Amino acid sequence: MVTFISSEGTQWYVKMTLVSEEKTRTLNLDCSDNVAFDTRSGGSVDGAWSEVAVFGHSLRFAKEGKTFTISANITDGKAFTVCGETVGTPEASSGESNQPHEGGSGEAVEISDEEKGDPLVRHPLESWFTRCVWDELFPHANHQCFEGVKPYSYESFVKNVRYFPGFASGEEKEQKKELAALFGMALQEVGGKSLRDGGPIVLKGLTRTKAYGFSEASWTEEPSHKWNLAFSSEQGHERSRVYDTGYPLKPNQKYFSGAGILQLSYPVNYARFSQFYYGDKEVLLNNSDRVRKDPDLVVASALFYWMAQAGTRPSCHCCFTGNPVNDTDKACYERITNLGYKKGLAMAIAAVNGIECAIPADYRVGTRVNGYFEYGKAFGLTEDELLEDCFVETAEMAGNLHTAGIA
């Protein structure tokens, strides 16, 4: 017999603790239909991390024990039932959405005119980030994008980065570090090749990993970082996000698991980006495919997400640099750092896909961190310079920045 003990988390994402009367590795749970267990985050057995295979509401852990934890998505954000216990989830305050991935508030948030750039004014990174550098970094750009479109080009990237003067600003070294971070993040989102768990590639600063080191897939001799920008939407997940607050799904629209360089997801984020780009949140809510085939939107959506604070989550920009884009961003960031969490790539990863954090780093984190190093070195920086004031240990980072540090 399995007993439900407790759960903690948000309206949409919880970690449950369960106890079995006898030692086992297989749990067959009686759950309500709105509980979807998350195999990607793994679980724990008697306090030790463990892989877990999920078959509906049947869980098979790699280790045997009596006390288990497992994370789950609550697909409608409402009360759920496990082992005969009904649990009410925390309500999102002020219409805010506490999604574990690509989160945002329930209201479309427009970046102020002061934060917007002028597309006719050159961005500082254009002084060193040239078309030749772009071509060298991304030989397989547009490899297999949606409907055969080719949205990635140096011209499109530079045109759209001018709208975000706060991105990759400051001294040239800081510009290079933040651009390397964005491209490293993108490598796991739209790259055509990821690292694998286990192998000879040991990444400096990343010590708590699922297996020892990482390795390159053998189907091509070209390293994974050469395969960035291969897609314009996430592969293998051509489905709508069916759970969200504030913006229900529109007829005949799909808000994909990922569209654009950073894989914009959920109706609320389409609304926020549409408000910024068009001044009307309905444009992209009614034309969601634009974000994965229009060259400007493919790029601008990622830069917008990187620079925009949302709900109780700091902007990716602030997570990486420590420089807030506004007062709310500053307050969110300080709540998190006051708990001891450090700025850097790990916190930015938590802002993009928090389910990769607070667990031993797997190939997803390895791909992002390796990309950060490789692009940074291509820009002339050393690994020590890239790790300077930049924390990368995702196992020691909060998995959900929407709740971490909130009073």
Side-chain angles (χ1 to χ4, degrees):
M1 179 178 175
V2 180
T3 303
F4 172 81
I5 301 299
S6 65
S7 74
E8 59 180 274
T10 73
Q11 182 180 6
W12 302 95
Y13 194 68
V14 298
K15 185 194 304 187
M16 303 180 189
T17 300
L18 307 153
V19 171
S20 171
E21 289 184 348
E22 300 178 351
K23 289 190 75 172
T24 183
R25 64 180 55 181
T26 302
L27 305 180
N28 294 306
L29 304 178
D30 181 17
C31 301
S32 52
D33 290 339
N34 62 341
V35 177
F37 291 104
D38 179 15
T39 180
R40 295 172 297 178
S41 294
S44 71
V45 180
D46 296 340
W49 186 85
S50 174
E51 290 186 356
V52 57
V54 176
F55 307 94
H57 290 164
S58 178
L59 314 177
R60 182 173 177 80
F61 290 80
K63 297 178 181 179
E64 187 178 57
K66 286 191 173 184
T67 303
F68 301 83
T69 66
I70 180 71
S71 296
N73 289 289
I74 309 304
T75 59
D76 57 6
K78 298 179 181 179
F80 60 93
T81 301
V82 179
C83 301
E85 296 286 337
T86 299
V87 183
T89 59
E91 293 294 330
S93 61
S94 304
E96 291 176 355
S97 170
N98 289 331
Q99 307 287 2
H101 176 71
E102 303 287 320
S105 70
E107 295 295 327
V109 179
E110 184 174 8
I111 289 181
S112 67
D113 289 339
E114 290 75 17
E115 294 175 64
K116 291 181 181 179
D118 185 338
L120 299 180
V121 177
R122 283 172 59 87
H123 193 282
L125 64 75
E126 292 178 65
S127 64
W128 58 268
F129 185 60
T130 65
R131 182 202 298 272
C132 290
V133 176
W134 173 277
D135 290 343
E136 175 64 25
L137 292 182
F138 309 124
H140 297 288
N142 304 305
H143 171 70
Q144 193 176 339
C145 293
F146 177 63
E147 293 185 348
V149 298
K150 298 185 181 300
Y152 299 117
S153 69
Y154 176 76
E155 290 75 15
S156 176
F157 184 83
V158 166
K159 171 186 174 182
N160 285 281
V161 81
R162 291 174 181 175
Y163 284 102
F164 302 90
F167 172 74
S169 57
E171 299 293 329
E172 185 173 303
K173 182 170 77 171
E174 300 310 311
Q175 296 174 26
K176 292 177 176 180
K177 288 176 69 172
E178 189 167 7
L179 186 59
L182 178 71
F183 287 152
M185 201 72 69
L187 184 59
Q188 176 56 27
E189 303 293 332
V190 292
K193 183 183 180 184
S194 296
L195 293 183
R196 293 181 173 179
D197 291 317
I201 300 174
V202 177
L203 301 172
K204 198 169 184 177
L206 196 63
T207 62
R208 295 182 58 187
T209 56
K210 180 178 177 180
Y212 179 80
F214 302 93
S215 58
E216 292 280 2
S218 61
W219 58 268
T220 174
E221 292 184 358
E222 283 187 296
S224 57
H225 67 275
K226 291 291 188 179
W227 279 89
N228 207 349
L229 310 184
F231 309 112
S232 60
S233 57
E234 187 174 2
Q235 302 300 293
H237 295 278
E238 298 287 298
R239 66 184 187 275
S240 298
R241 291 292 196 185
V242 296
Y243 49 96
D244 204 351
T245 58
Y247 295 96
L249 295 174
K250 298 268 189 174
N252 302 317
Q253 293 299 309
K254 291 185 177 180
Y255 306 99
F256 287 88
S257 297
I261 290 179
L262 286 187
Q263 298 189 357
L264 199 70
S265 303
Y266 302 106
V268 64
N269 284 314
Y270 281 78
R272 295 175 63 238
F273 176 52
S274 186
Q275 184 69 39
F276 164 78
Y277 199 86
Y278 293 104
D280 181 355
K281 62 179 179 290
E282 296 293 329
V283 174
L284 293 178
L285 286 174
N286 292 319
N287 298 277
S288 56
D289 271 349
R290 288 188 186 183
V291 185
R292 56 180 184 157
K293 63 183 181 181
D294 182 290
D296 289 334
L297 299 183
V298 167
V299 175
S301 62
L303 292 166
F304 168 80
Y305 188 84
W306 186 269
M307 296 300 298
Q309 179 276 330
T312 54
R313 169 188 64 74
S315 66
C316 301
H317 169 76
C318 186
C319 290
F320 182 75
T321 67
N323 300 321
V325 299
N326 54 39
D327 289 343
T328 305
D329 202 19
K330 183 174 185 287
C332 293
Y333 174 72
E334 288 180 346
R335 290 190 188 109
I336 296 168
T337 55
N338 285 343
L339 287 180
Y341 295 113
K342 302 174 184 178
K343 73 174 184 178
L345 194 66
M347 191 182 292
I349 291 173
V352 170
N353 200 17
I355 61 176
E356 297 174 19
C357 297
I359 59 173
D362 64 15
Y363 72 94
R364 297 169 297 180
V365 169
T367 299
R368 299 185 198 275
V369 174
N370 185 58
Y372 173 59
F373 284 153
E374 292 297 335
Y375 299 128
K377 288 186 287 189
F379 298 155
L381 302 179
T382 65
E383 289 189 1
D384 286 340
E385 287 176 311
L386 290 163
L387 288 173
E388 190 177 289
D389 205 17
C390 178
F391 188 68
V392 301
E393 194 79 87
T394 50
E396 297 178 13
M397 179 54 58
N400 190 338
L401 300 187
H402 281 286
T403 58
I406 297 176

